[in-house]
Amino acid sequence: MKRTHLKKYPAGLALLLLLSFHGAAAQARSGPLVFTGRTMGTTFHVKVFPGRVPAPSSLEQAVRNRLEAVNRSMSTFLAESEISRFNAMKAAHRPFPISKDFEKVMQRARHVYELTGGAWDGTV
């Protein structure tokens, strides 16, 4: 199996690596680290078991920061998000700088559009 697909998802890979490391601090805990929150119109629940993360105290903030970054980029409810600013553009020929996350989502949407022969259209 090729590993090239891992290059497409650096944020997910980083989170996976964070969760796979072993650390003494996490091993000292008697139970799993659990945190929850609200984002993007829904909730999240994370449970990390002892011995899986070198610094579990920093993991919660890293997850929250990552979710907030995705929300700032792709929320249609935030007027200043990338996607909202893009959708508000009046002229199609003007350059619009985008983040790597936004670019990857657009590339994946295009791929799904092509795979379905246009049946799935992310612009709708």
Side-chain angles (χ1 to χ4, degrees):
M1 182 171 153
K2 288 185 176 181
R3 293 186 180 199
T4 56
H5 65 282
L6 294 177
K7 293 178 184 177
K8 295 179 183 176
Y9 308 104
L13 179 59
L15 185 57
L16 178 63
L17 289 174
L18 279 173
L19 295 174
S20 65
F21 286 114
H22 295 281
Q27 292 172 350
R29 297 182 58 87
S30 60
L33 167 68
V34 177
F35 56 93
T36 61
R38 297 184 56 79
T39 187
M40 299 176 240
T42 189
T43 60
F44 66 90
H45 180 95
V46 176
K47 185 183 289 188
V48 181
F49 292 89
R52 302 282 188 216
V53 179
S57 60
S58 64
L59 176 65
E60 180 175 357
Q61 193 57 51
V63 168
R64 290 181 188 282
N65 289 347
R66 185 67 182 122
L67 290 171
E68 180 59 31
V70 169
N71 198 37
R72 280 191 313 267
S73 176
M74 297 176 219
S75 173
T76 56
F77 298 103
L78 299 175
E80 291 303 312
S81 72
E82 275 184 279
I83 199 165
S84 292
R85 291 182 289 116
F86 179 81
N87 288 338
M89 288 182 63
K90 303 290 185 218
H93 63 318
R94 287 190 15 217
F96 184 85
I98 59 174
S99 67
K100 288 184 185 258
D101 286 336
F102 192 86
E103 179 182 9
K104 287 178 185 173
V105 168
M106 294 297 102
Q107 288 174 348
R108 181 57 60 179
R110 180 178 171 185
H111 181 69
V112 172
Y113 176 84
E114 291 168 355
L115 283 176
T116 63
W120 182 87
D121 184 354
T123 64
V124 174

